[in-house]
Amino acid sequence: MRLFKIIFWVLWRVWFYVVMGVPIIIMFPLLFLSILKETWYPYFFKLARIWAKVILFGMGFYYKIEKQQDIESGKSYMFIANHTSMTDIMLMLVTVKNPFVFVGKKELVKIPLFGFFYKRTCILVDRNNPKSRTEVFARAQKRINQGLSICIFPEGKVPDDESVVLDEFKDGAFRLAIEHHLPIVPLVFPDNKKRYSYTFFSGSPGKMRVKILPFIETANKTLDDRKTIKGEARNLIYDELIAFLKL
C-alpha cells in the first residue's frame, strides 16, 4: 500500500506542473498581450483566475468559500492569509475577484513559464536585500494609485517546522495598509497544508475551505499602530486555524 501511495504522489506532483504549464502555453498570446501595458493588468488578472481554476480542478481540488464580510467591487484592499502551500496562490486568485498584485519572493521567478509572467506582474522582494524591501513600497504605492489591491502572505515564508500552525508576521503588509488607508482582509486557508504541502510525499485531492474574516480598518491609524494591527490580524487568523483543527 505504501508503494502505491509513493507512486501516486510522484505522478501527482508531476501532474501539478503539467496542469500549471499547459494553460499558460495555450493562453500565452493573450497573457503576453495583457502585460504589455500596466493599465491592462485587470485583463491579465482575469486570465490568471481562469488559470488558477484549471489547476485546482485539474488537481482534484474543489473549494468552499465562507464570507463574514463582503468585498466591495472596485475598492482597493490589503489581502493577507496564512501560507503553507503553492496552491495558496491559486486559491487566493479564485477567491478574490478584485484585481490585486502579489508581493512575493523572487525565487519563484525560476519556475519555467510561470516565472516569466510572475516576474512581470508581481512585486518581487529579496528578503536579504534592504534596498529590495524599500523598492517594494514604491512599486506597491504605484499599483495602489492605479486602483489595484495588494496581496501579501505576512509570514514571509512557509514555516520550516511542520508543527507550526502560523508563523510570526512581518511588518510590510500592515505598514502599506496603514500608509494607504487600505482595509485589511484576513483570509484563512485551513486545508492547503493537508491537500498540497511542500512535503513531497503527501497530499490528496479534496476540499479546500476558505474563510474571509471581518476586515480591519486602517483609515484613522498611524504607523504607531502597526504592531497592534499586526497582532490583531495574526490572532484572527490563528484562532480560526485552531478552530478548524478542532473540527
Side-chain angles (χ1 to χ4, degrees):
M1 180 61 74
R2 176 67 179 176
L3 178 61
F4 287 114
K5 283 187 176 181
I6 290 173
I7 293 172
F8 167 77
W9 282 322
V10 170
L11 294 175
W12 199 48
R13 293 278 167 167
V14 172
W15 177 245
F16 176 79
Y17 288 97
V18 172
V19 296
M20 187 166 72
V22 169
I24 295 177
I25 294 171
I26 294 172
M27 296 191 295
F28 190 90
L30 291 175
L31 289 167
F32 185 77
L33 286 172
S34 68
I35 65 172
L36 292 178
K37 290 185 179 180
E38 284 193 348
T39 53
W40 292 351
Y41 181 83
Y43 299 108
F44 173 84
F45 184 80
K46 289 180 180 180
L47 294 169
R49 295 190 75 232
I50 294 172
W51 168 80
K53 289 179 181 179
V54 170
I55 293 171
L56 293 180
F57 289 127
M59 290 295 290
F61 301 133
Y62 62 97
Y63 51 90
K64 180 181 180 182
I65 302 170
E66 178 183 347
K67 302 178 183 179
Q68 292 191 334
Q69 189 169 343
D70 289 325
I71 298 167
E72 296 180 30
S73 177
K75 187 172 181 178
S76 295
Y77 296 91
M78 172 63 70
F79 297 104
I80 64 171
N82 58 303
H83 192 26
T84 57
S85 167
M86 279 190 68
T87 58
D88 297 341
I89 294 172
M90 295 80 183
L91 197 57
M92 184 68 78
L93 283 167
V94 300
T95 300
V96 178
K97 296 180 180 179
N98 290 28
F100 64 81
V101 177
F102 281 109
V103 175
K105 56 186 180 181
K106 68 172 188 176
E107 289 82 0
L108 294 182
V109 170
K110 299 175 184 177
I111 300 176
L113 287 177
F114 172 83
F116 176 84
F117 291 102
Y118 177 79
K119 180 179 180 179
R120 289 159 178 80
T121 57
C122 298
I123 300 172
L124 307 186
V125 58
D126 181 353
R127 293 190 297 266
N128 300 318
N129 186 341
K131 183 181 178 182
S132 173
R133 291 198 295 269
T134 302
E135 290 172 349
V136 164
F137 287 96
R139 290 194 62 192
Q141 180 173 352
K142 184 178 180 181
R143 289 306 210 170
I144 294 166
N145 291 339
Q146 292 170 346
L148 300 175
S149 296
I150 302 293
C151 176
I152 297 179
F153 297 108
E155 291 167 278
K157 62 177 183 177
V158 175
D160 296 326
D161 187 346
E162 284 284 322
S163 66
V164 174
V165 175
L166 187 68
D167 214 336
E168 294 300 320
F169 283 1
K170 309 295 183 185
D171 284 350
F174 308 99
R175 178 180 165 186
L176 272 172
I178 291 170
E179 287 183 344
H180 298 283
H181 309 299
L182 300 178
I184 298 169
V185 182
L187 295 93
V188 178
F189 301 154
D191 302 310
N192 291 16
K193 179 185 280 190
K194 177 182 177 181
R195 293 286 164 241
Y196 197 86
S197 77
Y198 282 89
T199 301
F200 191 87
F201 295 112
S202 67
S204 64
K207 182 164 64 176
M208 285 180 163
R209 293 167 293 181
V210 182
K211 191 167 186 178
I212 300 175
L213 305 180
F215 305 167
I216 301 172
E217 295 296 334
T218 62
N220 298 315
K221 304 297 182 180
T222 69
L223 289 178
D224 292 335
D225 301 306
R226 185 173 68 250
K227 288 186 178 180
T228 301
I229 291 175
K230 179 175 70 173
E232 180 183 351
R234 187 181 182 279
N235 288 339
L236 277 172
I237 294 175
Y238 180 82
D239 290 346
E240 285 296 331
L241 286 171
I242 294 298
F244 274 115
L245 288 172
K246 292 178 180 179
L247 291 177

